[in-house]
């Protein structure tokens, strides 16, 4: 959460900073600000609201200079106001700081500083950093930052400037990402390489407890003892992956990303299906076949939408690979001490690769000596670099806060991993061949599914003003019911819940009335008749039914009030197909309700704070 972009070089900083903030706005959009420097003068501009408000302010009152730092905020401490917007300065206005993370002991530090006569001008935890750095500043900004951070408990990714060191930017990270960009016109510091794509051509990632210093000619990374660290310099094209972070002709990134799914699913499979051995193969698992065969249990951990893909993965691994799986919320697993024997491995699933809870859970698993693999979309992210091995999604940048293409890409990667382990254990070559054939046909099935958009639009108009909604599925589609409800909640602000369809009569059916529609996920499968019975139970109590069903299904048509039809695919691929109309339904309802689809209230794309 929150986005940082800094620049020091040979051209005006503010246009670069504003463009970088625009690209990072999905990380936070409560407020935004920047500070630039000319000589020994700092120019501070910040505004509550979206980047557009800061842009107007800078155009009205330019912030000159060829170096600067900027920030787009997702509030943790203090409301979304001008005074709480970053950057924050010390009392004299000579030290400026932007910060992503949470200073857990800020209140005790604040009280100590106030006792020394320091007056605070914001409600944030970040302002403590500005005053601490100022206290230790004696002409060496990097050293002052180093001393100040000794007193801090929590997480941080920071960028700092000092009035008396023109052109210098100091950064530090602990639990919050920072990356250096190297370009022909100067150097960049950001929380995401996309912020300076097109400006820089090389990247260097900081690790936890490292400090960096940039000026227009050079950069250096040091450890806690201020010893120089040799860090690898890599091509930015490798880290940005495939895909375009521009919106194109679409009205919203979310819709663009929904329609990219035939290609992103194909990208996730490309080069990973071995038709000579009828299995999948992965280049980055970094475990020997003997180690992989010794695995008797998998713990999958994730947050949000990625957690739902893990729930699908549990069904996949247990059916195709016959390996028992437990799925854990990362926010819970990081503080638990579950019994895990040496034949257990942990699989962390994350779009951004920076999710704080997932990173902490993975690190705890590694500390206990368990192999850890990651499924991740962002190359070079912290989780991708720290896992023992893993698989990239190759889905391209996902800008919409509500995840869509990442979910289906994660699910297809989990399918291929289940195939890989299954062929290692019990699946025959004939079974492997059939699975691969079904996987090859999937992108075309997704393209066909997207044609349901017109059906979805009509249904969205009918239900856009509902206040509650239930999502019901069984087996592989229970996690998809959870995901469909999450999408509706995230972007339309309608209360929605997902349940296994048979669980309705154990309590939730009390919610059913004429104003509460139920979305049934009922394509043809092994439990089709059971779900039809559950649907009849809802209809008997006057509840409207929206059915996601197979094409030409007359049985469903006799019961459902509204239908969205999808192509027939094998049951373990139904989560991908069925999730798409649910994404479209949430999108269309949110648009009709006038919601900001790509930037829903209170949410940010990458949750890098606890």
């Amino acid at each position: 959460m929150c986005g940082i972009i800094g620049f020091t070089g040979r051209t005006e900083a503010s246009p670069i900073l504003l463009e970088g903030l625009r690209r990072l706005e999905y990380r936070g959009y409560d407020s935004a600000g920047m500070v630039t420097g000319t000589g020994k003068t700092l120019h501070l501009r910040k505004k509550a609201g979206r980047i557009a408000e800061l842009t107007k302010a800078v155009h009205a009152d330019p912030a000159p200079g060829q170096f600067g730092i900027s920030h787009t905020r997702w509030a943790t401490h203090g409301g979304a106001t001008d005074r709480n917007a970053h950057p924050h300065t010390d009392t004299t206005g000579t030290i400026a700081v932007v910060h992503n993370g949470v200073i857990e002991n800020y209140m005790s530090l604040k009280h100590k500083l106030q006792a020394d006569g320091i007056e605070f001008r914001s409600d944030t935890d970040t302002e403590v950093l500005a005053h601490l750095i100022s206290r230790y500043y004696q002409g060496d900004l990097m050293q002052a930052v180093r001393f100040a951070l000794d007193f801090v408990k929590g997480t941080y990714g920071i960028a700092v400037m000092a009035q008396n060191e023109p052109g210098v930017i100091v950064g530090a990270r602990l639990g919050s990402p920072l990356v250096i960009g190297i370009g022909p016109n100067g150097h960049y510091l950001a929380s995401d390489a996309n912020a300076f794509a097109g400006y820089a051509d090389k990247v260097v990632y900081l690790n936890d407890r490292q400090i960096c210093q940039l000026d227009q000619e050079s950069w250096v990374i040091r450890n806690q003892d201020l010893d120089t660290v040799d860090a690898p310099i890599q091509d930015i094209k490798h880290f940005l992956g495939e895909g375009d972070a521009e919106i194109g002709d679409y009205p919203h990134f979310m819709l663009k990303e929904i329609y990219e799914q035939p290609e992103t699913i194909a990208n996730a499979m490309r080069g990973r299906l071995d038709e000579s051995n009828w299995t999948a193969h992965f280049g980055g698992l970094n475990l020997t076949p003997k180690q992989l065969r010794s695995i008797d249990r998998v713990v999958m951990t994730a947050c949000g939408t990625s957690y739902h893909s893990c729930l699908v993965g549990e069904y996949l691994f247990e059916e195709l690979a016959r390996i028992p799986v437990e799925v854990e919320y990362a926010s819970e697993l990081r503080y638990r001490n579950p019994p895990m024997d040496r034949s257990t491995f942990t699989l962390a699933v994350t779009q951004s690769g920076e999710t704080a809870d997932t990173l902490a859970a993975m690190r705890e698993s590694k500390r206990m000596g368990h192999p850890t693999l990651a499924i991740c979309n962002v190359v070079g992210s912290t989780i991708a670099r720290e896992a023992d091995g893993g698989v990239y999604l190759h889905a391209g940048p996902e800008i919409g806060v509500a995840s869509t293409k990442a979910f289906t890409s994660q699910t297809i990667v989990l399918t291929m991993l289940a195939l890989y382990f299954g062929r290692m254990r019990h699946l025959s070559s004939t079974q492997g061949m059939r699975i691969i054939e079904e996987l090859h046909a999937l992108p075309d099935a997704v393209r066909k599914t997207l044609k349901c958009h017109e059906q979805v639009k009509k249904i969205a108009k009918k239900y856009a003003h509902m206040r509650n909604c239930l999502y019901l599925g069984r087996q592989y589609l229970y996690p998809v019911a959870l995901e469909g409800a999450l999408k509706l909640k995230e972007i339309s602000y309608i209360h929605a819940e997902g349940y296994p369809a048979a669980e309705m009569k154990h309590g939730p059916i009390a919610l059913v009335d004429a104003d509460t529609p139920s979305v049934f996920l009922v394509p043809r499968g092994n439990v089709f008749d059971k779900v039809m019975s559950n649907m009849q139970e809802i209809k008997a109590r006057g509840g409207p039914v929206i059915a996601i069903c197979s094409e030409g299904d007359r049985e469903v048509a006799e019961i459902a009030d509204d239908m969205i039809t999808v192509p027939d695919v094998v049951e373990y691929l139904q989560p991908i197909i069925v999730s798409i109309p649910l994404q479209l339904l949430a999108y269309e309802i949110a648009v009709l309700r006038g919601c900001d689809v790509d930037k829903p209230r209170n949410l940010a794309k990458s949750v890098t704070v606890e």
Side-chain angles (χ1 to χ4, degrees):
M1 293 178 173
C2 303
I4 292 171
I5 171 71
F7 169 73
T8 177
R10 290 173 285 276
T11 187
E12 282 295 300
S14 62
I16 293 170
L17 300 180
L18 287 171
E19 173 60 17
L21 290 179
R22 184 188 68 80
R23 298 179 186 184
L24 294 176
E25 192 169 15
Y26 65 92
R27 284 180 169 265
Y29 34 86
D30 294 338
S31 59
M34 69 167 65
V35 60
T36 60
T38 51
K40 292 188 176 182
T41 302
L42 299 184
H43 308 277
L44 179 65
R45 309 284 185 269
K46 55 184 185 175
K47 293 289 292 182
R50 301 291 170 83
I51 305 299
E53 298 304 313
L54 176 65
T55 302
K56 291 176 187 175
V58 172
H59 287 166
D61 185 11
Q66 296 183 335
F67 69 106
I69 56 177
S70 60
H71 184 269
T72 181
R73 181 175 184 245
W74 186 86
T76 57
H77 295 72
T81 62
D82 288 355
R83 76 193 199 106
N84 288 333
H86 296 216
H88 291 286
T89 63
D90 67 331
T91 304
T92 64
T94 60
I95 300 288
V97 181
V98 295
H99 166 227
N100 182 12
V102 173
I103 307 302
E104 295 172 1
N105 63 331
Y106 89 100
M107 190 58 74
S108 62
L109 293 172
K110 182 175 182 177
H111 289 160
K112 290 176 183 177
L113 289 164
Q114 286 174 325
D116 292 338
I118 300 296
E119 293 186 10
F120 280 72
R121 292 169 290 190
S122 79
D123 307 311
T124 70
D125 55 338
T126 303
E127 191 179 349
V128 165
L129 288 171
H131 297 303
L132 283 175
I133 294 168
S134 178
R135 169 165 290 190
Y136 291 101
Y137 183 69
Q138 295 181 347
D140 187 331
L141 184 58
M142 177 179 274
Q143 193 167 62
V145 170
R146 163 69 179 80
F147 288 156
L149 292 177
D150 279 343
F151 295 91
V152 167
K153 295 179 182 178
T155 58
Y156 53 79
I158 61 172
V160 189
M161 286 170 42
Q163 177 178 287
N164 291 326
E165 294 188 47
V168 171
I169 297 172
V170 171
R173 73 156 281 177
L174 175 61
S176 197
L178 276 183
V179 56
I180 295 171
I182 304 168
N185 292 315
H187 295 109
Y188 306 80
L189 184 66
S191 48
D192 186 327
N194 278 308
F196 48 68
Y199 296 106
D201 45 30
K202 302 289 183 182
V203 294
V204 183
Y205 281 83
L206 271 70
N207 292 324
D208 277 352
R209 302 188 187 280
Q210 290 182 340
I211 302 176
C212 68
Q213 181 168 306
L214 323 175
D215 59 36
Q216 71 174 43
E217 300 296 341
S218 64
W219 60 273
V220 65
I221 298 177
R222 301 188 188 277
N223 60 22
Q224 282 186 297
D225 297 323
L226 298 184
D227 298 322
T228 302
V229 173
D230 290 327
I233 304 172
Q234 303 184 58
D235 194 317
I236 193 172
K237 292 179 182 178
H238 173 65
F239 286 90
L240 292 180
E242 302 172 22
D244 186 0
E246 300 301 322
I247 198 167
D249 295 329
Y250 289 89
H252 299 96
F253 276 106
M254 183 180 177
L255 187 61
K256 173 179 181 281
E257 289 155 7
I258 291 171
Y259 270 85
E260 286 177 342
Q261 287 174 109
E263 287 69 39
T264 55
I265 289 168
N267 288 342
M269 293 191 293
R270 187 169 290 115
R272 290 172 171 162
L273 296 178
D274 180 357
E275 291 167 354
S276 60
N277 296 299
W278 300 114
T279 186
H281 64 86
F282 303 92
L285 297 185
N286 298 332
L287 295 173
T288 66
K290 183 178 180 180
Q291 288 174 308
L292 292 169
R293 278 194 295 271
S294 71
I295 292 168
D296 290 330
R297 178 168 169 255
V298 178
V299 173
M300 298 184 185
T301 189
C303 303
T305 287
S306 297
Y307 176 81
H308 297 154
S309 71
C310 288
L311 291 175
V312 177
E314 180 179 13
Y315 286 95
L316 289 163
F317 269 61
E318 292 186 349
E319 179 176 341
L320 300 182
R322 309 301 299 165
I323 299 175
V325 173
E326 289 183 41
V327 180
E328 296 269 4
Y329 280 113
S331 56
E332 292 295 306
L333 181 61
R334 66 182 293 184
Y335 293 114
R336 290 185 64 212
N337 187 24
M340 293 169 63
D341 60 30
R342 64 184 60 190
S343 62
T344 299
F345 90 88
T346 300
L347 181 59
V349 181
T350 166
Q351 190 282 135
S352 69
E354 302 291 352
T355 306
D357 288 321
T358 307
L359 175 59
M362 188 189 78
R363 285 173 171 169
E364 181 65 9
S365 180
K366 287 189 70 173
R367 185 194 64 78
M368 296 171 68
H370 299 288
T372 60
L373 300 180
I375 295 175
C376 182
N377 193 36
V378 180
V379 180
S381 59
T382 304
I383 288 175
R385 287 183 287 123
E386 292 193 14
D388 295 319
V391 184
Y392 285 118
L393 301 181
H394 301 306
E398 187 177 64
I399 306 300
V401 167
S403 184
T404 52
K405 64 179 180 177
F407 173 76
T408 51
S409 292
Q410 288 166 349
T411 304
I412 201 67
V413 167
L414 287 165
T415 307
M416 291 188 292
L417 279 170
L419 167 63
Y420 177 70
F421 282 102
R423 285 287 286 130
M424 208 178 264
R425 290 158 182 268
H426 76 99
L427 288 176
S428 68
S429 59
T430 301
Q431 290 171 308
M433 177 180 66
R434 187 180 69 250
I435 292 169
I436 287 177
E437 289 173 348
E438 289 160 345
L439 289 171
H440 278 311
L442 186 61
D444 282 338
V446 172
R447 289 186 185 92
K448 191 174 181 182
T449 303
L450 286 166
K451 294 179 182 178
C452 76
H453 198 167
E454 289 305 315
Q455 290 176 300
V456 171
K457 286 182 179 179
K458 292 177 183 177
I459 294 170
K461 289 179 182 177
K462 183 175 178 180
Y463 295 101
H465 299 293
M466 63 183 169
R467 299 182 64 184
N468 301 285
C469 189
L470 301 172
Y471 285 73
L472 306 168
R474 296 186 75 168
Q475 300 293 295
Y476 279 103
L477 296 178
Y478 160 53
V480 181
L482 295 175
E483 174 62 11
L486 177 63
K487 284 291 146 297
L488 190 69
K489 285 183 280 195
E490 284 179 313
I491 63 171
S492 75
Y493 319 138
I494 294 171
H495 174 253
E497 298 294 339
Y499 294 101
E503 287 299 302
M504 283 297 293
K505 52 186 170 288
H506 296 285
I509 201 166
L511 299 171
V512 172
D513 60 26
D515 299 318
T516 303
S518 295
V519 180
F520 271 88
L521 315 183
V522 61
R524 290 281 172 167
N526 289 331
V527 292
F528 174 81
D529 291 337
K530 303 296 184 184
V531 182
M532 289 295 289
S533 295
N534 301 143
M535 193 187 300
Q536 290 279 19
E537 292 163 0
I538 299 297
K539 288 295 293 182
R541 288 156 179 82
V545 168
I546 304 167
I548 314 292
C549 64
S550 302
E551 293 172 323
D553 196 318
R554 294 183 180 180
E555 286 185 63
V556 174
E558 289 178 3
I559 302 173
D561 297 279
D562 299 280
M563 292 172 52
I564 302 169
T565 58
V566 296
D568 274 319
V569 296
V570 68
E571 281 192 76
Y572 55 78
L573 296 181
Q574 285 178 354
I576 292 172
I577 295 298
V578 172
S579 67
I580 290 169
L582 299 184
Q583 294 167 357
L584 289 168
L585 182 63
Y587 172 81
E588 290 297 340
I589 288 174
V591 169
L592 288 169
R593 290 168 67 92
C595 300
D596 192 337
V597 172
D598 287 335
K599 303 180 183 69
R601 69 187 183 202
N602 303 333
L603 298 179
K605 182 66 177 174
S606 179
V607 185
T608 58
V609 297
E610 187 174 358

